């Protein structure tokens, strides 16, 4: 179920008591994107409820005191507990729905995967700097690409299509939202923001394979669409209703 | 091993886990607590975080502590990030008992609670590190963020956050509670007994824990360390003052 438009104002949506997980999200939020990917990769049914983050409805705070997205309401647990924090939600889904495993089985490899997920934060920070900077021409793009180097090296070392092996795993999905948005940068952030095909040959190949992945395709938005949203956000008028 | 300057220490090749730390780092203390709680044999190597030795990057690529090198495994890999290390060690060393809940929901809720401690840490940081110009609302934000934990203890209704016995939430947030009393010495500031009655009771209880006692540095040392930072380079050696 994908609701076609975000809910604003005070209307609390009425849902059937159907035991299906509820994901509170925002269509353009990359952190929420992570949870969509894992739910879809594991084929876990869910209702998506998109929240207007600038004018959060009061009913949302009643349901989730932190008011954050992503938030996952566990409707089959007593008290309908709400989980927040994208990585914690995704780790929970991994434990609860093990049929499509996304982490390696080996505890050491799993820990190393989590470290790589954590390290991607460097790229995320640089990405937002480029995105939100009033004059991107002033920035040193090397800072942006520096955060990607270890992932190119990792793909080389693993010699598999995806970080997760022959199909995407948790690392692939946790970093994908920003990799998908990378295509948006050239639309309004200027030149020089393309991945060097020599330096990032494997990452570019990986990106093309990810674009074919079922879970990625379900939620995919193209560069131009992401750029339009990002521009609206940069101008202080985030357009959640865009689609 | 306390390593002066940039000399790479001669580390014994004995298959014993290596724990890289800085004596006063609260994140690093989280790992120390795990090692103590599980009685995991380890060599401790102290790293100068200001003048980071070049060789340290071979173990921890960004030069961070804590880091734990698993010397008994092929390739002798090193893990970083205190919470990732905690999950790994808890799983690999289940004795005497597991610290993380096994139930996926309870585990997620404990992780969320640990994550909710982050605003406590960021609010108190300028106060506890003796920043000469802390933000005007630092104290207010610190206390508001702590309210969450006072309330949660009430909700859970157990002596420890993790239940009847000490567990992962208690250990992961403990390092800062060990340091808060230093503010009485440096800032004449203490936690309000009325507002934080349950938390203070919890703190006294946790202070009696074996692993906590083993890894503790006393309040005076914490205060001295923070003061040392205000006059120049942090004096890490203060940690070894009381060791012959």
């Amino acid at each position: 179920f994908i609701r076609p438009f975000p809910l604003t104002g005070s209307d609390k949506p009425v849902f059937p008591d159907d035991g299906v997980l509820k994901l509170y999200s925002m269509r353009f939020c990359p952190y929420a994107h992570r949870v969509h990917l894992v739910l879809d990769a594991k084929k876990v049914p869910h209702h998506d409820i998109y929240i207007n983050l600038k004018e959060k409805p009061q009913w949302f705070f009643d349901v989730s005191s932190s008011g954050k997205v992503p938030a996952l309401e566990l409707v089959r647990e007593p008290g309908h507990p709400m989980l927040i924090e994208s990585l914690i939600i995704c780790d929970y889904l991994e434990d609860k729905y093990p049929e499509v495993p996304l982490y390696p089985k080996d505890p050491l490899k799993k820990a190393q995967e989590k470290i790589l997920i954590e390290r991607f934060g460097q790229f995320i920070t640089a990405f937002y700097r480029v995105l939100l900077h009033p004059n991107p021409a002033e920035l040193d793009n090397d800072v942006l690409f520096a955060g990607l180097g270890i992932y190119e090296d990792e793909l080389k070392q693993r010699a598999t299509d995806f970080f997760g092996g022959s199909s995407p795993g948790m690392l692939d999905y946790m970093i994908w939202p920003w990799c998908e948005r990378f295509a948006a940068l050239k639309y309004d952030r200027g030149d020089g923001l393309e991945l060097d095909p020599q330096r990032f040959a494997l990452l570019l190949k990986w990106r093309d394979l990810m674009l074919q992945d079922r879970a990625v395709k379900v939620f995919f938005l193209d560069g131009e669409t992401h750029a339009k949203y990002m521009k609206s956000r940069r101008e202080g008028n985030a357009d959640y209703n865009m689609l | 091993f306390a390593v002066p300057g940039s000399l790479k220490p001669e580390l014994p090749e004995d298959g014993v886990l290596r724990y890289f730390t800085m004596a006063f780092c609260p994140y690093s203390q989280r790992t120390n607590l795990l090692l103590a709680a599980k009685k995991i044999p380890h060599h401790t190597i102290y790293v100068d975080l200001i003048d980071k030795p070049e060789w340290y990057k071979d173990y921890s690529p960004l030069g961070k502590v804590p880091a734990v090198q698993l010397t008994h495994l092929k390739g002798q890999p090193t893990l970083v990030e205190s919470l990732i290390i905690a999950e790994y060690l808890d799983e690999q060393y289940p004795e005497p008992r597991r610290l993380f809940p096994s139930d996926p929901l309870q585990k997620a809720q404990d992780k969320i609670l640990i994550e909710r401690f982050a605003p406590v840490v960021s609010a108190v940081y300028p106060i506890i590190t003796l920043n000469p110009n802390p933000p005007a609302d630092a104290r207010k934000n610190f206390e508001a963020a702590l309210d969450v934990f006072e309330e949660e203890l009430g909700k859970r209704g157990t002596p420890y956050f993790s239940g009847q016995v000490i567990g992962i939430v208690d250990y992961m947030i403990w390092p800062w509670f060990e340091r808060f009393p230093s503010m009485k010495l440096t800032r004449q500031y203490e936690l309000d007994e009325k507002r934080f009655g349950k938390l203070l009771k919890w703190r006294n209880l946790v202070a009696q824990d074996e692993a906590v006692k083993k890894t503790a540095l006393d309040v005076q040392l914490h205060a001295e360390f923070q003061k040392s930072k205000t006059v120049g380079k942090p004096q890490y050696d203060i940690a070894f003052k009381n060791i012959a």
Side-chain angles (χ1 to χ4, degrees):
Chain A
F1 287 82
I2 298 183
R3 299 191 72 82
F5 45 82
L7 298 157
T8 57
S10 54
D11 303 13
K12 181 174 177 175
V14 177
F15 291 100
D17 196 3
D18 56 7
V20 172
L21 295 178
K22 292 178 195 154
L23 174 61
Y24 298 90
S25 178
M26 192 276 279
R27 188 61 180 84
F28 304 97
C29 171
Y31 295 94
H33 194 165
R34 283 172 158 173
V35 182
H36 285 274
L37 288 168
V38 171
L39 284 167
D40 292 334
K42 289 179 175 284
K43 299 195 170 91
V44 177
H46 54 102
H47 295 302
D48 298 328
I49 302 138
Y50 296 111
I51 303 292
N52 181 327
L53 297 182
K54 258 172 53 193
E55 290 161 14
K56 286 180 197 175
Q58 183 54 44
W59 64 257
F60 182 50
F61 283 99
D62 297 338
V63 140
S64 170
S65 57
S66 73
K68 287 174 158 190
V69 297
L72 187 67
E73 189 177 341
L74 306 179
V75 299
R76 290 204 214 159
E77 300 283 346
H80 287 208
M82 195 72 103
L83 296 184
I84 54 169
E85 302 299 335
S86 62
L87 293 179
I88 297 176
I89 296 172
C90 291
D91 278 4
Y92 166 82
L93 291 172
E94 177 73 356
D95 287 344
K96 193 76 178 172
Y97 303 95
E99 298 78 25
V100 180
L102 296 177
Y103 275 119
K105 256 183 112 165
D106 175 62
L108 172 64
K109 291 205 166 82
K110 183 176 179 179
Q112 290 170 324
E113 206 84 332
K114 289 186 176 191
I115 291 168
L116 281 169
I117 291 169
E118 197 63 43
R119 274 192 83 175
F120 195 70
Q122 183 191 354
F123 177 75
I124 294 174
T125 303
F127 182 85
Y128 280 118
R129 253 186 97 222
V130 171
L131 187 64
L132 299 172
H133 203 275
N135 192 6
E138 289 171 16
L139 289 174
D140 175 10
N141 290 334
D142 245 38
V143 172
L144 186 62
F145 299 124
L148 288 178
I150 58 163
Y151 299 91
E152 179 73 13
D153 294 341
E154 198 61 32
L155 276 175
K156 195 174 189 174
Q157 245 184 57
R158 295 184 188 203
T160 49
D161 282 345
F162 302 97
F163 294 97
S166 54
S167 61
M170 196 62 88
L171 175 56
D172 301 86
Y173 287 129
M174 292 304 96
I175 71 175
W176 175 253
W178 290 270
C179 298
E180 183 179 296
R181 284 156 181 72
F182 195 92
L185 292 179
K186 65 172 186 275
Y187 281 94
D188 73 343
R189 300 276 80 191
D191 299 321
L193 288 171
E194 306 255 12
L195 289 181
D196 176 354
Q198 236 93 332
R199 192 173 164 199
F200 295 110
L202 295 173
L203 265 178
L204 285 167
K205 181 165 162 266
W206 168 83
R207 182 201 58 191
D208 291 339
L209 288 170
M210 284 295 277
L211 288 171
Q212 303 310 313
D213 177 71
R214 186 186 47 82
V216 167
K217 289 209 288 205
V218 167
F219 209 66
F220 176 78
L221 293 173
D222 66 24
E224 215 176 333
T225 309
H226 278 303
K228 196 161 164 234
Y229 168 75
M230 287 168 182
K231 183 160 184 275
S232 77
R233 182 187 149 167
R234 198 170 52 246
E235 292 168 353
N237 199 16
D239 190 359
Y240 303 113
N241 290 335
M242 234 182 72
L243 293 178
Chain B
F1 305 90
V3 186
S6 57
L7 288 175
K8 179 166 176 177
E10 293 246 352
L11 302 172
E13 291 291 342
D14 54 7
V16 170
L17 190 150
R18 292 169 188 162
Y19 163 51
F20 296 91
T21 181
M22 188 277 275
F24 294 97
C25 173
Y27 295 97
S28 204
Q29 191 180 354
R30 285 172 159 175
T31 301
N32 209 4
L33 286 164
L34 253 292
L35 292 170
K38 304 276 188 167
K39 299 189 165 62
I40 301 169
H42 58 281
H43 295 303
T44 304
I45 301 118
Y46 296 94
V47 180
D48 183 335
L49 295 182
I50 305 292
D51 287 332
K52 272 178 214 174
E54 266 311 302
W55 58 261
Y56 187 54
K57 291 217 185 87
D58 298 338
Y59 297 93
S60 174
L62 299 174
K64 291 164 118 185
V65 293
V68 156
Q69 189 183 19
L70 308 168
T71 55
H72 57 294
L73 296 180
K74 183 172 157 223
Q76 303 199 25
T78 302
L79 297 181
V80 291
E81 300 300 334
S82 60
L83 295 177
I84 296 174
I85 293 171
E87 256 195 285
Y88 176 80
L89 290 178
D90 190 49
E91 193 171 356
Q92 292 300 109
Y93 298 88
E95 305 298 330
R97 94 198 123 71
R98 292 216 188 274
L99 298 172
F100 278 93
S102 49
D103 173 64
L105 173 57
Q106 279 178 41
K107 186 174 181 182
Q109 287 172 324
D110 274 2
K111 286 185 181 182
I112 290 168
L113 190 55
I114 293 167
E115 189 61 40
R116 289 191 80 184
F117 198 70
V120 174
V121 173
S122 51
V124 85
Y125 189 81
I127 305 173
I128 204 166
T129 59
L130 305 183
N131 184 317
N133 290 310
D137 55 1
R139 210 173 271 200
K140 183 164 82 63
N141 293 338
F142 168 59
E143 290 168 351
L146 269 184
D147 282 337
V148 170
F149 288 81
E150 177 73 11
E151 201 187 312
E152 190 63 26
L153 257 183
K155 262 195 228 159
R156 292 188 177 206
T158 49
Y160 300 95
F161 283 100
S162 289
Q164 293 301 328
V165 292
I166 199 168
I168 199 65
V169 177
D170 310 279
Y171 280 133
M172 292 300 98
I173 68 175
W174 172 257
W176 288 270
F177 283 92
E178 184 181 292
R179 286 153 177 72
F180 293 156
S182 75
M183 294 191 286
K184 184 168 180 202
L185 300 173
T186 57
R187 295 277 202 189
Q188 295 75 50
Y189 172 72
E190 309 184 68
L191 291 178
D192 181 343
E193 276 176 21
K194 277 189 227 92
R195 187 169 176 181
F196 299 113
K198 295 191 187 71
L199 265 180
L200 288 168
K201 190 157 166 247
W202 167 86
R203 186 187 68 185
N204 294 338
L205 189 60
V206 174
Q208 302 312 313
D209 177 79
E210 217 183 289
V212 166
K213 289 205 288 204
K214 188 144 190 267
T215 61
L217 286 175
D218 79 35
V219 169
Q220 186 65 40
L221 290 182
H222 282 303
E224 276 186 48
F225 176 69
Q226 294 304 341
K227 281 191 206 145
S228 79
K229 292 204 294 194
T230 63
V231 294
K233 235 188 95 173
Q235 294 302 302
Y236 298 123
D237 290 346
I238 290 173
F240 308 108
K241 226 164 82 152
N242 299 334
I243 300 172

